[in-house]
Amino acid sequence: MKAYREELNTYRASAKETFGTVSLSHFSRDAKPIPLEGLYSPFLPQRLGEAQAASTAVEALESHRRFVLRGQSGSGRTTVLRYLALSCSRSPDAPVPLMASLKDFDKAKTSDLTEYIIERTSAGHAATKKLLSRLVPTGRLVWLLDDFNAAAENAPAIEGQIERLSGSVVVTVSDDIHSQL
């Protein structure tokens, strides 16, 4: 059990490092990453088409098991996912974050979404892959799935697999594809 806790703490520390900054290199080659900590992304969660009180992404995750972040290109959906991953990485009681883009899912060696996300998240590290695979049946995960639009051709198959994921799920979509969900 001690080794498991150490592996989990190592994973959380790695996630904090990975998601703790936002790169601005697309604006300038010389731009340095900025800490994500100071960024705030408010949004209005919606349930059954009715707007609810303004909330942070973390508060929405605490009160809703699954939700969709939608917005126009460049609106900060991916940054919100990174913030959720960072926030979850800080607390041993929070769900363990797994973040992956669905952009290349159709080119993956597997058609199993869980396997694809674990492979992308572990980046080929066998110990991390083993740890994440052990966590799947526990429901202690938060699946942060970016770029649903890029997987639109396979949407029905992916939606079915998303429904079967244990734990919390957050999916990003752009406004132009939301009507297809």
Side-chain angles (χ1 to χ4, degrees):
M1 187 65 141
K2 186 177 179 182
Y4 169 79
R5 290 232 181 264
E6 288 175 12
E7 290 173 19
L8 187 55
N9 289 338
T10 299
Y11 177 75
R12 286 185 186 279
S14 174
K16 281 188 242 180
E17 185 176 319
T18 299
F19 301 114
T21 60
V22 175
S23 172
L24 300 175
S25 61
H26 55 282
F27 293 115
S28 167
R29 289 184 194 190
D30 300 331
K32 294 181 181 176
I34 60 170
L36 186 56
E37 184 62 40
L39 298 178
Y40 175 72
S41 299
F43 65 96
L44 293 173
Q46 293 183 349
R47 187 176 203 91
L48 302 175
E50 295 182 19
Q52 297 179 0
S55 174
T56 66
V58 175
E59 289 169 350
L61 183 60
E62 290 171 356
S63 61
H64 303 287
R65 192 172 170 298
R66 297 167 185 264
F67 62 92
V68 174
L69 290 174
R70 64 177 250 225
Q72 296 178 348
S73 186
S75 64
R77 296 181 314 268
T78 302
T79 301
V80 171
L81 288 185
R82 292 177 65 85
Y83 181 75
L84 281 169
L86 177 63
S87 297
C88 290
S89 298
R90 289 194 187 114
S91 171
D93 298 325
V96 177
L98 287 91
M99 183 171 165
S101 171
L102 298 176
K103 181 172 33 179
D104 297 321
F105 182 59
D106 63 336
K107 299 174 191 130
K109 295 176 184 175
T110 181
S111 59
D112 182 273
L113 185 61
T114 301
E115 187 178 319
Y116 169 78
I117 294 166
I118 289 174
E119 186 63 38
R120 299 289 293 203
T121 304
S122 66
H125 295 102
T128 303
K129 186 174 181 178
K130 182 179 176 184
L131 171 70
L132 297 176
S133 296
R134 284 178 59 189
L135 285 169
V136 168
T138 69
R140 290 194 57 222
L141 299 171
V142 59
W143 305 82
L144 305 169
L145 309 179
D146 202 12
D147 299 322
F148 186 85
N149 339 26
E153 287 183 23
N154 298 323
I158 292 172
E159 286 176 23
Q161 291 189 60
I162 289 172
E163 285 298 316
R164 290 187 294 276
L165 293 174
S166 64
S168 298
V169 180
V170 182
V171 179
T172 68
V173 296
S174 67
D175 282 338
D176 60 332
I177 192 139
H178 182 71
S179 61
Q180 297 175 25
L181 295 178

